Every structure is written in C-alpha cells, then in structure tokens.
Amino acid sequence: MTLIDGKAIAQKTHAESRAAVAELKARGITPGLAVVLVGDDPASAAYVRSKDRMCHELGMHSVKHELPAATSQADLIAIVRQLNADPAIHGILVQSPPPPHIDERAVIEAIDPRKDVDGFHPLNVAKLTLGDPDGFVPCTPLGCQRLLIESGIETAGANVVVLGRSMIVGKPMALLLMNKGPGGDATVTVAHSRTRNLAAVCRTADILIAAIGRPEFVRADFVKEGAVVIDVGINRVDDPTAPKGYRLTGDVAFAEVAPHCRAITPVPGGVGPMTIAMLMANTIASCRRFAARV
Ligand code: GUN
C-alpha cells in the first residue's frame, strides 16, 4: 500500500507557482486573489486564513474580506462587483456555504467568470462540460486529478466511482475524469446516498473518490482489493481527548480500508493541501490570461 503524500505534491506545485509569480512580477504584474467570508464558521475561517497566508508565501497580492453573518446579499454582491472592477485582483473566491439568507447562486453569477478561480460560475461549469480548457475548474477535483497524475495512477480506461454529487466536488470530478487527456479518459460512475447497493457499486471501482461528506462512511466492504482510494472528506468529529476537542477525519475508515488499497490518501495531508495549491495555480493562470488580453 502506498500513502499518497498530498503535502509533498502540493509543495511541488507551490514551487512551480512561486517561479511563475516571480516571472510575472519581473514583468511588473502581481497575481492577486480576493477571498470573501461571510459569517464566523470556524472551519471556513481557518480555510480563508490559510489561503491568505499561502498567497503571501508565494509573493502574491491577497485581499481578505471577513464580513459579519448578517451581511445582506446586496452588500455582498456590491463587494463582488468592486472586486470585478479591481485590476489588481485576478481571482475572487466567496467561501461556501454562505449563511442561509444569501442566495449563493446569485452571488456566484455576480462574479466575473474571468476571475472565478473556483470554477463555480455557470460559464465555467459549461466550459468544463464542453472540455474547453479556457475556463476554470473547481480546485478540489483539480487537486484530486493532479494527485492521480503525479502518483502515476492511470485513469485512461479505468473504472472510477465518484461517491458524491456536489457542485464543488462530485460533479466536476466526474467531468474531469471523463474528459479526454491526461488524468481523464476514465469510465465514470457517480454514486451517492440514494444509490442502490452502494457498497457493491463502489467495489467495482479501480479508483474510488470519496466525497460524500460523512465521516468514515467508506468501509472495507466498499473497496476492491488493490483499488486506489482518494478521500476528499474533511470532517470535524468531537474528540474530548484531542487538544482542540475535535479531530479531523475523512470520508473513509482509513485503518480498515488502507490494507486493501494499492494507494490511498490520508486525512489530513492528502487532498486538503492540493485544493489550496490548485487555487493558487488557477489565480496565476487567470493573471496570465489578463496580461495576455491587454
Ligand atoms: N467550501 C469548501 N470548498 C470550497 C471551495 O473550493 N471554494 C469555496 N469558495 N468554498 C468552499
């Protein structure tokens, strides 16, 4: 069994990003990312801080808007429009999920699709569906694909089961894997909580991508001997013995699944670090596209 080291692979992509930022800066251009958080969900706040920190580490411009939970949709959209118009900003991310009084779709549609480094805008969803490389692809599935490529795991012709159908992970993951090219050309099944005989369907997978958002949902009987398992889950579960009172666990019951795998990602240290690495890469790509337009 191989442990897929997401931290190490993320470091490699950060090194590429650092070099790309230096090259752009030498031309007088600094890639800029704006991250907007509404409310005080502690996990979301931690993600937003780590994105901000990573921008600084790579030499990028970073703007962070931390707004109160009661912020109106109109005020949030006004901030998005300001960022759309700001030439120093090449990427805009509004942390999901927003508080319930905000219509997330309306906010996403307000983002300039050329700055939608999350790949959530309908135009970018369409481009991914079309296999058009000019769009942006959501960072978490892009990170999973990069992990597979960097680990030398062949996707062409492989049976892949994507467990989960969210717009952030499951659906774009399935599209990426079925599209043509490196990290693609797979035979993809999308399974979810309503799938009949779920464990049996997952057992058909050469590569199983677990993105269902339930701690340790994938047990040993979900996994074919010698399969590759990518665990997208980051679940906080109460643990009074842990220093913070909680621990992070994936969607996979790691201890019982890992012995059956050819390769598996740990949580933490698997997919998580790749998501932020892909966000930085998307922002740099956006900056390059803006520079090419003028
Ligand atoms: N919440 C969980 N993952 C993501 C992500 O990739 N982007 C945004 N905007 N919110 C998220």
Side-chain angles (χ1 to χ4, degrees), residues 36 44 47 51 92-97 104 118 120 138-141 168-169 275 279:
V36 183
S44 292
Y47 294 144
K51 287 162 188 165
I92 302 170
L93 178 148
V94 180
Q95 186 67 31
S96 178
E104 187 171 16
D118 254 332
F120 294 170
C139 302
T140 300
I168 297 186
V169 186
T275 297
L279 177 66

Side-chain angles (χ1 to χ4, degrees), residues 80 84-85 92 108-117 121 124 136 290:
V80 166
N84 284 343
I92 302 170
I108 289 170
E109 288 183 25
I111 298 173
D112 181 338
R114 297 171 304 171
K115 297 190 178 186
D116 169 38
V117 286
H121 189 284
N124 287 316
F136 290 107
F290 272 96

Side-chain angles (χ1 to χ4, degrees), residues 44-149:
S44 292
Y47 294 144
V48 166
R49 276 197 302 274
S50 62
K51 287 162 188 165
D52 190 49
R53 197 179 325 119
M54 190 52 70
C55 281
H56 290 294
E57 279 179 27
L58 298 182
M60 291 162 59
H61 173 55
S62 170
V63 174
K64 189 170 48 153
H65 289 272
E66 289 178 297
L67 309 173
T71 302
S72 72
Q73 180 167 318
D75 286 350
L76 176 57
I77 287 180
I79 288 175
V80 166
R81 293 203 198 288
Q82 271 175 28
L83 295 167
N84 284 343
D86 184 344
I89 295 298
H90 307 97
I92 302 170
L93 178 148
V94 180
Q95 186 67 31
S96 178
H101 67 277
I102 287 177
D103 175 1
E104 187 171 16
R105 263 207 229 174
V107 176
I108 289 170
E109 288 183 25
I111 298 173
D112 181 338
R114 297 171 304 171
K115 297 190 178 186
D116 169 38
V117 286
D118 254 332
F120 294 170
H121 189 284
L123 188 73
N124 287 316
V125 178
K127 285 184 174 177
L128 174 59
T129 309
L130 292 163
D132 178 344
D134 291 343
F136 290 107
V137 177
C139 302
T140 300
L142 200 56
C144 293
Q145 185 188 48
R146 182 67 72 90
L147 283 179
L148 292 171
I149 294 171

